[in-house]
Amino acid sequence: MLVIIGVVIVFFSWALSGSIGKKIGRALFDIETGTKKNTQSALQQGLEKISQDLNKDLPKMLNEYLRMDEVQTNTSELTVTHYATYAQHSLLDTDFSFLNKNLPKLVNQLCQSKNAYWAMSLGVKYVYIYRDKDGKLIGNPFIIRVSDCK
């Protein structure tokens, strides 16, 4: 059952990251004039808007097990951090090794998403942090950069 949840995580994370890439693209170009804005400042503004927009609908249960809690952006480090909780499972009763097994799939899907890849090529990093029902960190955060793309 938790393996299926891992696939849901990969799909949801990929879709969310592609959406983030689109929002960054909109922030970097002036649609009315068709000109490129100052990349660094526009990128930072885009990241700020992303967390505001995405957090309007969070926290949200993605399925009966997983809750997406929050998306935070750090404009100086160009990171988009996703926080999720396994609402019914704790480190004491669950083997969460499936998360590490699904990481290559997540990296592959992010790298193949033209929007997510484009954002990463500008220096954006996607970070995924998972917690158990007691709020304890599950493993280390996943950090995905353009250099992870093959």
Side-chain angles (χ1 to χ4, degrees):
M1 181 63 82
L2 287 178
V3 172
I4 293 170
I5 296 168
V7 173
V8 169
I9 292 168
V10 169
F11 177 76
F12 179 78
S13 300
W14 167 74
L16 188 60
S17 298
S19 168
I20 290 167
K22 284 182 186 178
K23 289 180 187 296
I24 290 171
R26 288 186 193 122
L28 290 175
F29 293 96
D30 184 333
I31 295 172
E32 291 178 14
T33 65
T35 58
K36 189 175 180 180
K37 297 179 184 177
N38 174 311
T39 305
Q40 190 64 25
S41 112
L43 187 56
Q44 290 172 333
Q45 288 173 359
L47 287 174
E48 287 174 10
K49 183 159 177 35
I50 286 164
S51 62
Q52 292 170 0
D53 290 351
L54 293 175
N55 285 317
K56 287 178 188 174
D57 297 325
L58 299 177
K60 178 181 182 176
M61 290 300 292
L62 302 179
N63 58 37
E64 63 184 294
Y65 304 101
L66 186 66
R67 181 182 67 232
M68 180 58 85
D69 296 316
E70 181 180 20
V71 175
Q72 290 183 356
T73 55
N74 181 316
T75 58
S76 61
E77 294 183 15
L78 300 180
T79 58
V80 179
T81 304
H82 305 79
Y83 292 89
T85 299
Y86 280 92
Q88 297 182 11
H89 298 280
S90 101
L91 287 171
L92 301 175
D93 63 19
T94 306
D95 176 8
F96 287 100
S97 62
F98 67 89
L99 285 172
N100 287 328
K101 292 176 186 170
N102 282 305
L103 180 60
K105 292 177 192 171
L106 176 58
V107 170
N108 186 50
Q109 288 186 343
L110 285 173
C111 293
Q112 292 195 13
S113 163
K114 70 178 183 178
N115 293 317
Y117 182 83
W118 182 70
M120 288 189 293
S121 72
L122 294 173
V124 173
K125 296 173 283 301
Y126 292 99
V127 180
Y128 297 88
I129 296 176
Y130 298 99
R131 297 190 184 280
D132 74 356
K133 70 179 183 180
D134 302 315
K136 294 180 183 167
L137 186 64
I138 300 171
N140 295 318
F142 297 144
I143 303 172
I144 303 172
R145 302 169 177 86
V146 73
S147 60
D148 295 316
C149 299
K150 298 175 182 175

